[in-house]
Amino acid sequence: MFALSLTRYYIYIAFFLLSFPFIAIFNNFTLSDFFLTLALISVVIRLIGSNFLFENIFQKNEFIIPILIFSLGFLVSINQSSFPFESFTAFLQIVFIFLIAYPIIRIALTKEKHILTATYILITTGLFIAVIMLTFYVIDIEYGIGSLIEIGWGGRLSYGGMEPNVPARILLQITPLCLVMAIRSQMFINKLLFTIFIAVLLLTVFLTASRSSLLIAIIGAIIFLVFYIKMGRKVNIYYLILYIAIQFTLIQLISINNTEFYDKPIDRYSTILDPWSSPSSMQRLELIDKGLDYIDHNPIIGLGLENSNLYTKISIHNPIVLTWVENGFFGMIGFSGLYVVLLFMGLKCYKMNFFDDDILMAYVVVMAIMVFGDMFMAN
């Protein structure tokens, strides 16, 4: 019992650090991964001599077959890699997520109070980041050092030296959790606070000027509404109006001293329906064409994990094409299989009305927007 309690604390710390993926100990191995590793060690100590750990990591792990197929593609393509060590560490990162992190979290977080604690940690971290980002944006202070806030990327908001769409997605994935917490609360003050939190998160996402994140926000809102109605719940129009009023007020307050705050985001968002007017959109389409051209000539064996930019110069912004280029046909099948398993899990929850669990419903929404958002990501 003590070991599992210790495991949960390690997992909570890892969840707190999830929003800071740029804090790496070694290559792709982040500080969050380090605490998940400590969680694994504590579970191994607790369950040593038991088949329970083996069953959860391998026998009962829904991702084991896709990971094995992906591993085959990786092994077939590793000889083509110009940087085999970097390829190997990137491979370990993917294996770590699905064969270590996922089973350990499932073993340790077994009660609703555990899930709620992890949820509040994610919300608190994301909200803290959003408030700091907005504050720096409003007072027009720029920090371009590693983990600090920056208003770079042509006037777009970001942090940690990451491409703006990464912070945008981190914050978007917290938004459904805030929404369901607002719905669950019986006290008006809590509903009001979580509604303000949502307004802050969405405005921060808007200022990153990430077109894919705007699409994710729209799709996520539709999915949440569909799922919510599927559970037999009714939309409270009064709270919807309250959110709109808060969001509008916040937008006005932010721009009171500078009406140009929204020029850059609006300029980028205007190209969504006309990608040919955006150089970056055209570049991404050209990169996908390059990737497909490579696949046409080398369908089975890839360039090696993390090596596609040697061929395309810039990473391809689509994980399926990117994985096929880097890990060949089997790598693409295995990696696509991970998404298929996730979607089947979500479909099962949908058919069962999310087991009448609104927290579960919110996490399925998070999963859905993550999968959708991945289709526009380079990593």
Side-chain angles (χ1 to χ4, degrees):
M1 181 63 69
F2 170 74
L4 284 181
S5 297
L6 185 62
T7 301
R8 280 192 284 272
Y9 285 123
Y10 287 142
I11 291 174
Y12 293 152
I13 296 172
F15 271 52
F16 175 80
L17 294 167
L18 274 176
S19 297
F20 307 96
F22 55 89
I23 305 178
I25 297 175
F26 181 75
N27 279 13
N28 294 319
F29 191 74
T30 67
L31 193 57
S32 178
D33 295 334
F34 171 73
F35 280 98
L36 285 173
T37 303
L38 292 180
L40 169 66
I41 294 171
S42 65
V43 167
V44 170
I45 293 172
R46 170 68 176 81
L47 300 175
I48 192 166
S50 168
N51 291 329
F52 185 71
L53 186 62
F54 178 83
E55 289 176 357
N56 277 273
I57 292 179
F58 296 104
Q59 293 181 348
K60 296 181 180 179
N61 191 333
E62 296 88 345
F63 299 102
I64 188 66
I65 292 178
I67 283 293
L68 289 175
I69 298 173
F70 177 79
S71 300
L72 176 61
F74 168 78
L75 293 173
V76 169
S77 303
I78 186 67
N79 287 335
Q80 304 296 317
S81 176
S82 299
F83 305 100
F85 182 74
E86 285 75 9
S87 298
F88 182 67
T89 56
F91 169 73
L92 288 180
Q93 176 73 9
I94 296 172
V95 172
F96 181 86
I97 292 170
F98 294 100
L99 294 192
I100 302 298
Y102 168 66
I104 295 304
I105 291 171
R106 189 167 65 174
I107 289 171
L109 306 186
T110 55
K111 298 180 179 179
E112 183 180 10
K113 65 178 182 179
H114 302 152
I115 303 297
L116 283 174
T117 300
T119 301
Y120 280 121
I121 289 171
L122 289 173
I123 290 173
T124 303
T125 310
L127 183 64
F128 173 77
I129 291 171
V131 169
I132 297 297
M133 290 174 73
L134 273 183
T135 301
F136 276 82
Y137 197 81
V138 170
I139 61 180
D140 198 24
I141 295 179
E142 177 176 347
Y143 283 83
I145 303 174
S147 61
L148 299 180
I149 309 301
E150 57 180 322
I151 311 170
W153 304 86
R156 300 168 65 190
L157 189 58
S158 182
Y159 75 94
M162 298 185 290
E163 201 173 326
N165 62 343
V166 178
R169 288 190 60 193
I170 290 172
L171 299 182
L172 274 177
Q173 291 162 17
I174 297 167
T175 307
L177 305 180
C178 283
L179 182 53
V180 82
M181 288 301 178
I183 293 170
R184 282 169 60 98
S185 178
Q186 300 299 315
M187 298 177 62
F188 174 76
I189 185 64
N190 290 340
K191 290 181 179 292
L192 177 62
L193 285 174
F194 277 111
T195 303
I196 294 172
F197 295 166
I198 293 168
V200 169
L201 289 169
L202 291 180
L203 180 57
T204 308
V205 170
F206 180 84
L207 291 173
T208 64
S210 169
R211 289 166 296 193
S212 60
S213 295
L214 179 63
L215 292 175
I216 293 169
I218 295 170
I219 296 297
I222 295 172
I223 292 174
F224 191 99
L225 179 62
V226 171
F227 287 1
Y228 191 67
I229 294 174
K230 172 68 174 176
M231 293 182 70
R233 311 292 174 82
K234 294 182 179 180
V235 177
N236 191 317
I237 300 298
Y238 296 107
Y239 284 109
L240 180 60
I241 294 172
L242 175 64
Y243 159 72
I244 294 172
I246 292 173
Q247 190 74 79
F248 179 77
T249 302
L250 186 59
I251 290 172
Q252 295 301 312
L253 287 174
I254 292 296
S255 62
I256 196 167
N257 292 322
N258 188 348
T259 56
E260 297 180 358
F261 274 149
Y262 305 114
D263 288 353
K264 179 62 178 180
I266 291 174
D267 181 56
R268 281 183 59 84
Y269 294 139
S270 66
T271 66
I272 290 177
L273 298 178
D274 185 17
W276 292 272
S277 66
S278 169
S280 62
S281 296
M282 291 302 298
Q283 182 188 58
R284 293 183 184 188
L285 292 173
E286 289 172 4
L287 290 172
I288 291 176
D289 284 340
K290 265 192 171 185
L292 294 174
D293 181 66
Y294 178 84
I295 292 168
D296 187 49
H297 292 88
N298 305 274
I300 304 300
I301 300 176
L303 288 166
L305 195 58
E306 297 281 289
N307 279 251
S308 64
N309 58 345
L310 297 177
Y311 179 78
T312 59
K313 305 303 179 187
I314 301 174
S315 292
I316 300 167
H317 281 63
N318 180 278
I320 306 302
V321 177
L322 178 64
T323 305
W324 199 339
V325 170
E326 293 186 340
N327 295 284
F329 177 74
F330 293 107
M332 181 273 295
I333 293 296
F335 200 77
S336 300
L338 298 174
Y339 290 119
V340 172
V341 170
L342 285 170
L343 292 174
F344 267 105
M345 285 180 170
L347 183 61
K348 177 183 178 181
C349 291
Y350 179 82
K351 288 181 176 180
M352 300 300 295
N353 287 338
F354 305 97
F355 304 93
D356 200 34
D357 186 339
D358 46 11
I359 294 291
L360 174 62
M361 184 271 288
Y363 276 105
V364 174
V365 174
V366 172
M367 179 276 295
I369 63 178
M370 286 175 66
V371 171
F372 177 77
D374 274 2
M375 298 304 109
F376 304 95
M377 295 292 286
N379 190 333

